[in-house]
Amino acid sequence: MIFQRRDVYLWLLGGSAGSFNPIRRFIQQMPFQVHVAIVVCMHRLRSLRMGMVEAMGGTQGWVVLEPDDKTIIQGGHIYIAPADYHLLVEPEGYFSLSVDEPVHFSRPSIDVLLEAVVGARWPRAGAALLSGANKDGAWGLYRMYRAGYFTAVQEPSDAEMPTMPQAALSLFEPHRRFTADRLVEVCLYALSL
Amino acid sequence: MFNEALPEIPDGELERFFQIMLTQYGMDFREYAPASLKRRLGTVLKRYSLSSLSLLNQRLLSQPEYLDLFINEITVSTTELFRDPSAWVALRQQAFPLLAGLPQLRIWHVGVSTGEEVLSMAILLQESGLYAKAQLFATDIDQRALEQAQKAAYPLRLKGLYQQNLQAVLPGIPLAKYAREEEGKLIFHPSLLERVRFIRHNIVSESPFGEYELVLCRNLLIYFTPTLQDKVVTKLVDSLIPGGILMIGTKESLFWCKAAKRLTSLNEIERIYRKRL
């Protein structure tokens, strides 16, 4: 089965403690883009199977959902990584889930998602890493940077929990540093490249 | 200090891996979802300090005795007692009444791994008064996991989680009714496995070996491509009696499976289906 879905731009957001409000604000404010899929990988309690989509509130026309395994990636959609599964992007244009061991004590892991995008050689993608109390996502973002994708990191001084952005900045200087209130702007810039 | 780097898996080496596994061992990994397979292979390489997949390929070629260990490493053994408690509650409330009146209850656990799922089922059957007429078949590709499953002994650190899950499914039933602590392990009562047969079986390449009233295949399909999911689900549905129950993982989907037409949904959220009569 071959899917022709790889024309979609993947905008990836990773965060942990302190990232929920900035990500929710972004989701509420981001103008609808038919060729963009937003993928959110946020650490959360494994028991919280339901309610994350509703907690994100209204959007500018995006469809918000937690993908099932093998859900086809479509533009105009916001995908929230489900609790207690890793979320991966497959080269053929759909998501896969896995219950492999947690990475940095986290499942879903931001590293796993970002590295899968690199491994899938997804044609167009960008990623932003936000507040968090561990270093999950830093390595994956660096892999994206090295692979030529757009990368952005929240200013540690702006982050409620600076460990995660600091971990990324200890590895490389991303294309953009941002404060949470400029996240929509950063995304629109990435899309314009 | 970062230590996250997994060795990269070039496509050529991956093709060679597929070829070795198929020709030497009759195992076909070509229809495994590539992103998670590559990650898993990378993890194995890192664990064994192998810098490339070609080194693993050489080892698989020259040391057939390494195969069991490799299969144990490459297969994912994440499971727990009553994982996703609400799914077990739904199974008991919605599926068991449909099965209770049948003369026998043959249950197939596909990809049972280290056995917590079949123990969960045995406890649920006991508490529902159905265990005496049940026969459970627990299969997996991983011989080492099956051996571990037959011991029914787990690290004591899991006790809290297991107690919590058990309470969510069967309120008021203490874990101590079914498991005891001994030498740092949580050991389940051997009577729970009296009606269980553990069998090495590869659902990808082998046919089902029986007919069942209930089949569980949870969080295994996620490792397959849509094409392989379709093939495997067809086998699972074929193996069910008319009116039999299929339970898959709560985030797994039958979207790509033609055999889904032969099922009706019993609980869509918990992914419990019934084969049409």
Side-chain angles (χ1 to χ4, degrees):
Chain A
M1 290 183 197
I2 303 295
F3 307 103
Q4 302 296 332
R5 307 280 171 174
R6 289 163 58 95
D7 51 341
V8 170
Y9 187 103
L10 288 184
W11 177 248
L12 307 140
L13 291 175
S16 185
S19 70
F20 178 78
N21 284 328
I23 288 176
R24 185 172 62 169
R25 201 160 52 237
F26 170 81
I27 285 175
Q28 291 172 351
Q29 295 173 355
M30 179 67 195
F32 181 78
Q33 308 275 330
V34 73
H35 293 302
V36 178
I38 296 168
V39 188
V40 176
C41 185
M42 224 183 327
H43 298 165
R44 56 201 266 202
L45 289 176
R46 62 194 291 272
S47 55
L48 288 182
R49 272 179 59 194
M50 310 283 182
M52 190 59 107
V53 169
E54 294 75 14
M56 287 297 162
T59 74
Q60 305 292 320
W62 298 83
V63 176
V64 186
L65 72 155
E66 283 192 3
D68 284 335
D69 178 55
K70 306 300 177 298
T71 293
I72 296 172
I73 297 168
Q74 298 183 72
H77 284 56
I78 296 175
Y79 300 99
I80 314 280
D84 210 21
Y85 287 89
H86 291 306
L87 180 67
L88 298 95
V89 168
E90 294 287 355
E92 290 191 321
Y94 50 78
F95 291 110
S96 274
L97 300 178
S98 103
V99 288
D100 283 13
E101 296 86 351
V103 174
H104 296 295
F105 308 101
S106 306
R107 188 168 58 205
S109 152
I110 306 161
D111 275 343
V112 170
L113 172 65
L114 301 186
E115 291 195 84
V117 171
V118 175
R121 299 191 184 92
W122 198 270
R124 297 184 68 225
L129 194 63
L130 290 95
S131 170
N134 74 13
K135 60 182 186 178
D136 182 33
W139 180 260
L141 195 71
Y142 179 46
R143 289 276 323 266
M144 287 198 68
Y145 174 82
R146 283 196 316 183
Y149 295 104
F150 177 85
T151 55
V153 174
Q154 186 177 6
E155 282 287 1
S157 58
D158 182 61
E160 208 172 293
M161 294 286 178
T163 308
M164 192 176 278
Q166 267 168 354
L169 295 174
S170 75
L171 289 173
F172 71 109
E173 183 58 41
H175 300 94
R176 281 283 185 280
R177 296 185 186 211
F178 62 91
T179 52
D181 58 329
R182 310 292 287 271
L183 186 52
V184 169
E185 198 180 303
V186 171
C187 178
L188 291 172
Y189 172 74
L191 296 176
S192 72
L193 295 175
Chain B
M1 184 64 193
F2 279 79
N3 191 28
E4 282 77 3
L6 296 179
E8 295 190 20
I9 310 287
D11 289 343
E13 292 182 17
L14 190 62
E15 285 300 320
R16 180 75 181 128
F17 166 77
F18 290 150
Q19 189 191 3
I20 292 167
M21 293 307 292
L22 192 60
T23 57
Q24 296 286 115
Y25 302 111
M27 292 183 176
D28 192 350
F29 283 90
R30 291 173 298 180
E31 288 291 345
Y32 278 60
S36 49
L37 178 64
K38 281 185 175 180
R39 184 161 190 96
R40 198 78 200 157
L41 283 169
T43 306
V44 173
L45 295 179
K46 190 175 172 189
R47 191 166 296 157
Y48 288 93
S49 303
L50 298 169
S51 57
S52 72
L53 183 58
S54 64
L55 292 173
L56 176 68
N57 286 340
Q58 283 170 22
R59 186 176 289 193
L60 286 166
L61 268 177
S62 60
Q63 300 176 33
E65 67 279 7
Y66 178 65
L67 181 70
D68 273 0
L69 180 60
F70 171 70
I71 293 299
N72 185 246
E73 295 285 357
I74 197 74
T75 50
V76 177
S77 59
T78 302
T79 179
E80 64 194 53
L81 194 76
F82 292 113
R83 181 179 161 88
D84 295 329
S86 59
W88 291 95
V89 171
L91 186 73
R92 188 184 194 202
Q93 290 178 348
Q94 294 178 267
F96 277 17
L98 300 171
L99 303 171
L102 299 174
Q104 58 181 339
L105 188 45
R106 293 160 297 181
I107 302 172
W108 182 15
H109 293 264
V110 185
V112 73
S113 186
T114 44
E116 289 90 329
E117 184 184 270
V118 78
L119 285 169
S120 309
M121 180 63 78
I123 293 170
L124 201 65
L125 291 165
Q126 286 274 15
E127 295 297 329
S128 308
L130 295 172
Y131 191 61
K133 67 173 175 183
Q135 278 181 290
L136 294 89
F137 300 87
T139 66
D140 203 285
I141 189 176
D142 180 355
Q143 184 63 32
R144 286 179 180 233
L146 287 174
E147 285 163 11
Q148 199 180 330
Q150 289 171 76
K151 292 178 187 156
Y154 303 94
L156 200 52
R157 63 181 159 77
L158 297 171
K159 182 183 166 189
L161 173 66
Y162 288 5
Q163 178 69 65
Q164 186 184 321
N165 286 356
L166 177 64
Q167 283 305 303
V169 179
L170 295 162
I173 305 293
L175 187 60
K177 182 176 177 184
Y178 291 106
R180 68 179 196 281
E181 293 174 30
E182 194 177 297
E183 294 174 357
K185 298 262 185 193
L186 189 63
I187 299 174
F188 284 81
H189 199 279
S191 66
L192 289 172
L193 298 183
E194 266 172 13
R195 307 191 67 79
V196 182
R197 279 184 62 198
F198 291 94
I199 303 162
R200 188 173 191 173
H201 179 266
N202 184 351
I203 187 65
V204 173
S205 57
E206 296 176 76
S207 301
F209 48 83
E211 200 172 49
Y212 308 94
E213 283 70 33
L214 172 58
V215 172
L216 288 88
C217 183
R218 304 171 72 215
N219 293 327
L220 176 62
L221 298 171
I222 51 178
Y223 293 99
F224 301 156
T225 62
T227 306
L228 186 54
Q229 287 186 348
D230 182 37
K231 284 181 197 160
V232 168
V233 170
T234 298
K235 290 182 190 183
L236 303 183
V237 177
D238 284 347
S239 74
L240 280 172
I241 63 159
I245 305 293
L246 172 66
M247 185 179 185
I248 60 175
T250 53
K251 295 302 290 179
E252 291 177 318
S253 161
L254 298 176
F255 180 81
W256 301 102
C257 305
K258 293 188 281 292
K261 289 177 186 158
R262 294 153 62 196
L263 300 169
T264 56
S265 175
L266 209 55
N267 186 321
E268 191 55 42
I269 290 174
E270 303 298 350
R271 308 293 154 99
I272 303 173
Y273 303 91
R274 189 177 192 204
K275 188 172 175 179
R276 291 180 191 277
L277 293 166

